[in-house]
């Protein structure tokens, strides 16, 4: 409730990465329902959180992030359809550097 906009985006990244861990555990356990819940939540975080928060006036950066988020959403769907952990790894490898960069600029963001 009292989190800054910067902190809220960090929370979205963290939630997304947590969903990937949950989905991996569900795939390993053969729990299709839990896998579906985790991947659906991850997709909503990307589409309704991160992608929706992009500033349309952000130019090339916004465009590139939008494309990346679309790609990640497609990879999540493939992970869901095929219970493929390689797609989960790909999503993590794409999103972790963004999360880390976002956290790194946190000190420069006014409170």
């Amino acid at each position: 409730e009292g989190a800054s906009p910067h902190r809220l985006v960090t929370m979205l990244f963290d939630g997304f990465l947590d969903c990937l861990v949950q989905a991996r555990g569900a795939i390993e356990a053969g729990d299709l329902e839990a896998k579906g819940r985790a991947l659906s939540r991850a997709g909503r975080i990307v589409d309704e959180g991160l992608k929706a928060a992009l500033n349309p006036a952000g130019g090339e950066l916004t465009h590139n992030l939008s494309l990346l988020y679309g790609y990640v959403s497609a990879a999540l769907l493939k992970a869901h359809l095929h219970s493929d952990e390689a797609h989960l790894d790909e999503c993590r490898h794409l999103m972790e550097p963004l999360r880390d960069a976002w956290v790194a600029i946190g000190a420069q963001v006014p409170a």
Side-chain angles (χ1 to χ4, degrees):
E1 197 172 285
S4 70
H6 185 270
R7 178 70 183 126
L8 290 173
V9 173
T10 302
M11 292 168 64
L12 288 172
F13 279 120
D14 289 344
F16 173 82
L17 294 171
D18 185 54
C19 286
L20 296 184
V21 170
Q22 291 173 22
R24 178 180 302 282
I27 288 171
E28 291 171 356
D31 187 342
L32 298 178
E33 185 179 338
K35 176 191 74 170
R37 276 194 313 270
L39 291 175
S40 292
R41 183 170 171 248
R44 284 192 318 274
I45 289 170
V46 171
D47 292 333
E48 298 171 16
L50 297 169
K51 194 172 185 179
L54 293 174
N55 182 349
E60 185 177 356
L61 178 60
T62 295
H63 176 73
N64 290 340
L65 285 172
S66 181
L67 292 175
L68 176 66
Y69 293 154
Y71 181 86
V72 168
S73 291
L76 290 171
L77 179 60
K78 290 176 187 176
H80 180 64
L81 292 174
H82 305 291
S83 293
D84 186 353
E85 293 180 42
H87 288 294
L88 298 178
D89 291 338
E90 181 180 26
C91 290
R92 184 177 53 80
H93 288 296
L94 291 169
M95 297 294 274
E96 272 185 341
L98 288 177
R99 186 246 180 235
D100 294 345
W102 187 257
V103 169
I105 66 168
Q108 300 171 20
V109 176

